Amino acid sequence: MTAAPHVLSREAEGPTTTPNSAVRSGFAGSSIFGAGDLVEVRSKEEILATLDANGELESMPFMPEMLQYCGQRFRVYKRAHKSCDTVSGAYKGLKLENAVHLSLRCDGSAHGGCQAGCLLFWKDDWLKPVEVAASPATTRPSPRRAGCTEQQLLDAVSDGRPPEQRRYSCQATRLLAYTTTLKWWSFGQYLEDFTSGNASPSEMWHSFAYATYVTLTMANRRTLGKPGRWLYDRFQKLRGGLPYPARKGKFAVNQATPCEPLDLQPGELVRVKSYEEILATLNITGGNGRLQFDADMVPSCGKTYRVLTRIEKFVDEKNGQLHGLKRPAIILEDAVCHGCYSHDRMMCPRSIYSWWREIWLERVPENSDARQ
């Protein structure tokens, strides 16, 4: 189960406008689109004509799950000028060109029923601006290619092995093929975060302030960072802010961590437990079992959400294999990573869903006054 995309009908979309390309471009390889721009996904025939025989454009796959959106109109969610490396395990920043995110996620229907719900990447060539008068400056002509058939697109999804041995290919597994390394100190990425409409000045200020503080005080060091973490918590308590978000638990790595099966189902209302309650379930690496509690999940503590999905299987970005989970994880509506506390991938626009253990959540009655 995935969230319904924000589809704009032609009658209800309101006045059409020209994308602010003149303002939002200016960076080599940048998309011509920025956050909030209205675009239309090109027809299936137009998109297939941009692809090679492997169903890729500049090494980025166009996946069968994306065909259902052809001919429909959407607002650009964020410009995808950067991402984070979830393939090698380094979780560093990556740079990519001429791409955006719409508020559309993969439903996994062509990839063994993967339930990760990844935000899809869209190349500029697969979209067209919705505007009163088309301007040559707002469309980037596609180079001539041999094209791809729909059958070739379907065949490129996997290696054709038996299901138990099959390896899948998707935008997540192929991420390193269409991106390059992006250093955290590259100033241009942050300027583009702002000019593209991806991030507000307030969001940028808080991310920079946190990263600077952690670097100067070594708050991320287990022993040397104790004074920095204490001072951070004291200051945040005075201003009503969040405590230091990158703390670890006390269980040994080889020690079993507590669990609490709730059998949560899509649509149920839950509250994320307090940060202190969740820390009491973590080991010294910050995990419960093999599932990590990330610093960017801390802003969700104490808030109320709907259960979106029970994660029972997913395609592993590292090897393309479909894996099952011994203990299902939970995805909550709108609970995504914003890269607020991620030094090497600040303000990543990929908005990956956070995965939650059921012991980190508690049911909330529908008529509860605690709903937020």
Side-chain angles (χ1 to χ4, degrees):
M1 177 180 178
T2 54
H6 181 50
V7 183
L8 297 172
S9 69
R10 297 176 191 275
E11 293 76 23
E13 66 196 9
T16 54
T17 58
T18 302
N20 297 326
S21 307
V23 176
R24 291 174 174 166
S25 291
F27 299 92
S30 293
S31 170
I32 63 172
F33 303 113
D37 287 342
L38 182 61
V39 297
E40 182 174 313
V41 180
R42 293 185 183 273
S43 69
K44 177 176 70 175
E45 293 72 23
E46 288 178 299
I47 292 175
L48 290 176
T50 70
L51 308 177
D52 61 22
N54 295 318
E56 298 179 348
L57 170 58
E58 298 171 353
S59 298
M60 180 187 289
F62 182 89
M63 303 191 302
E65 289 92 342
M66 302 165 73
L67 288 171
Q68 61 186 303
Y69 302 117
C70 289
Q72 299 183 49
R73 296 180 176 185
F74 305 92
R75 294 282 178 188
V76 172
Y77 170 57
K78 289 185 178 181
R79 181 183 291 174
H81 63 287
K82 62 182 183 180
S83 188
C84 57
D85 179 1
T86 54
V87 179
S88 71
Y91 296 101
K92 303 289 186 179
L94 298 172
K95 177 178 175 58
L96 63 155
E97 299 183 345
N98 306 312
V100 298
H101 292 299
L102 310 179
S103 295
L104 302 172
R105 293 182 178 269
C106 178
D107 62 18
S109 56
H111 290 80
C114 173
Q115 298 171 300
C118 297
L119 198 64
L120 296 167
F121 290 93
W122 297 84
K123 280 288 191 179
D124 283 5
D125 285 2
W126 302 336
L127 308 170
K128 55 185 175 183
V130 177
E131 49 194 1
V132 177
S135 168
T138 64
T139 56
R140 190 167 61 90
S142 301
R144 297 180 66 86
R145 298 181 179 85
C148 174
T149 66
E150 188 170 353
Q151 187 58 52
Q152 286 176 313
L153 192 69
L154 293 170
D155 291 342
V157 164
S158 73
D159 58 10
R161 297 181 187 181
E164 63 275 7
Q165 302 172 353
R166 188 168 300 167
R167 292 178 181 267
Y168 290 94
S169 176
C170 66
Q171 290 183 342
T173 65
R174 294 280 292 155
L175 184 65
L176 298 185
Y178 56 86
T179 59
T180 55
T181 300
L182 178 63
K183 301 298 185 182
W184 68 264
W185 59 80
S186 175
F187 176 74
Q189 64 172 305
Y190 306 119
L191 185 57
E192 190 163 2
D193 286 333
F194 174 69
T195 60
S196 66
N198 277 15
S200 68
S202 175
E203 291 170 329
M204 298 182 72
W205 161 251
H206 284 101
S207 291
F208 282 127
Y210 174 79
T212 302
Y213 180 85
V214 170
T215 301
L216 293 178
T217 64
M218 297 185 291
N220 58 336
R221 302 287 186 90
R222 189 166 184 87
T223 301
L224 295 177
K226 285 183 178 179
R229 293 193 294 272
W230 178 86
L231 184 60
Y232 186 97
D233 286 347
R234 293 289 294 178
F235 177 74
Q236 288 292 85
K237 186 174 183 179
L238 290 174
R239 63 185 295 269
L242 295 171
Y244 182 73
R247 294 185 182 277
K248 311 298 182 184
K250 296 183 178 180
F251 287 94
V253 175
N254 59 354
Q255 188 177 2
T257 49
C259 63
E260 183 183 356
L262 298 178
D263 193 31
L264 293 171
Q265 299 299 317
E268 287 196 75
L269 197 64
V270 296
R271 183 191 300 107
V272 178
K273 290 182 178 179
S274 71
Y275 187 27
E276 292 74 18
E277 288 176 298
I278 293 176
L279 284 175
T281 72
L282 306 181
N283 61 30
I284 57 175
T285 68
N288 180 279
R290 299 183 64 181
L291 186 62
Q292 295 296 115
F293 183 81
D294 189 76
D296 279 291
M297 298 168 73
V298 174
S300 294
C301 290
K303 294 183 179 179
T304 304
Y305 298 91
R306 293 271 178 200
V307 173
L308 180 64
T309 309
R310 286 179 65 84
I311 295 286
E312 297 176 334
K313 56 182 177 178
F314 68 99
V315 171
D316 189 339
E317 297 103 316
K318 298 176 179 61
N319 55 31
Q321 292 182 318
L322 188 68
H323 291 305
L325 290 177
K326 293 181 179 179
R327 282 190 286 161
I330 302 297
I331 285 179
L332 305 176
E333 291 182 3
D334 302 321
V336 300
C337 174
H338 293 290
C340 301
Y341 301 115
S342 306
H343 179 73
D344 292 314
R345 55 191 193 278
M346 282 195 298
M347 292 165 284
C348 169
R350 197 171 169 190
S351 297
I352 296 174
Y353 277 131
S354 300
W355 291 18
W356 302 85
R357 288 290 192 207
E358 290 188 311
I359 195 172
W360 300 340
L361 309 171
E362 57 187 359
R363 280 189 172 90
V364 176
E366 288 291 335
N367 58 355
S368 171
D369 292 336
R371 289 189 59 177
Q372 299 182 18

